[in-house]
Amino acid sequence: AQSVTQLDSHVSVSEGTPVLLRCNYSSSYSPSLFWYVQHPNKGLQLLLKYTSAATLVKGINGFEAEFKKSETSFHLTKPSAHMSDAAEYFCVVRDYNNNDMRFGAGTRLTVKP
Amino acid sequence: EADIYQTPRYLVIGTGKKITLECSQTMGHDKMYWYQQDPGMELHLIHYSYGVNSTEKGDLSSESTVSRIRTEHFPLTLESARPSHTSQYLCASSEPRGRDTQYFGPGTRLTVL
């Protein structure tokens, strides 16, 4: 069965500095991987997804993530944080053979001025 | 922006009341889901449906029930709410193919006093 681990429950960065949110997964088959963002009092929004095409995936709002099979990782990055990036971020894995999605516990990103 | 709606957005009720959380989508998606999310915790799948007249229980045991009489509508009902039901409930939908993205509603934040 697939599972996902977000290594940090809380990340704090200064505005204009890089963002790194870490995610490791386990999956029996070729996984699909997603990053979702949830702003306060809002629903989940898809940032980006990996589905066995290019290993470096670009998403919305300047975010990107790299699929590294050898490290079973799918870390989310952004070169320069903006105040509006403050939110909770969820890494999600889905096995090729089923449509069930396993969510990580989430990483809360704080951006300081 | 995905067309999936949840009402109410917030609900505060007393113990013992029967409540129904509404979820509707206008994308014609066959598969729909209900997740439960406690603050700072990961999402847990509590119910899903493959289409009309299909309902399945998810990973997390829940005292709630669901129905799927119409493709666009997937309400969740608690016959007798208790304080332990206090949580955020997120509805999602997706097309039935293997690698399709789930689209989320804004969520219902339920508090049972």
Side-chain angles (χ1 to χ4, degrees), chain A residues 9 30-32 34 36 38 40-46 49-52 88 90 94-96 98-106, chain B residues 1 9-10 31 33 35 37 40-43 45 48 50 59 88 90 94-107 109:
Chain A
S9 59
S30 300
S32 295
F34 307 78
Y36 283 87
Q38 185 177 26
N41 301 315
K42 300 282 187 182
L44 287 167
Q45 181 184 18
L46 179 68
K49 64 179 177 180
Y50 164 78
T51 55
S52 79
E88 188 143 24
F90 291 89
R94 183 178 65 200
D95 268 339
Y96 179 83
N98 65 67
N99 211 20
D100 294 333
M101 296 173 72
R102 305 287 173 176
F103 286 74
Chain B
E1 193 95 3
R9 292 292 306 276
Y10 300 92
K31 198 162 182 182
Y33 314 76
Y35 294 89
Q37 182 189 22
M41 303 295 286
E42 64 267 41
L43 277 72
L45 181 67
Y48 60 100
Y50 290 106
D59 304 322
Q88 168 130 336
L90 288 160
S94 71
E95 293 180 279
R97 294 186 295 273
R99 289 173 177 260
D100 283 315
T101 302
Q102 293 193 12
Y103 295 91
F104 285 81
R109 186 170 294 283

Side-chain angles (χ1 to χ4, degrees), chain B residues 34-110:
Chain B
W34 275 102
Y35 294 89
Q36 186 174 342
Q37 182 189 22
D38 293 320
M41 303 295 286
E42 64 267 41
L43 277 72
H44 292 286
L45 181 67
I46 53 175
H47 297 283
Y48 60 100
S49 166
Y50 290 106
V52 171
N53 294 326
S54 155
T55 60
E56 306 286 343
K57 290 192 179 294
D59 304 322
L60 184 68
S61 174
S62 174
E63 294 166 346
S64 58
T65 59
V66 292
S67 63
R68 190 83 183 278
I69 298 171
R70 304 198 314 265
T71 298
E72 62 271 20
H73 196 212
F74 191 42
L76 180 145
T77 298
L78 280 164
E79 290 293 330
S80 179
R82 295 204 304 273
S84 59
H85 296 140
T86 295
S87 190
Q88 168 130 336
Y89 293 84
L90 288 160
C91 180
S93 73
S94 71
E95 293 180 279
R97 294 186 295 273
R99 289 173 177 260
D100 283 315
T101 302
Q102 293 193 12
Y103 295 91
F104 285 81
T108 295
R109 186 170 294 283
L110 172 65

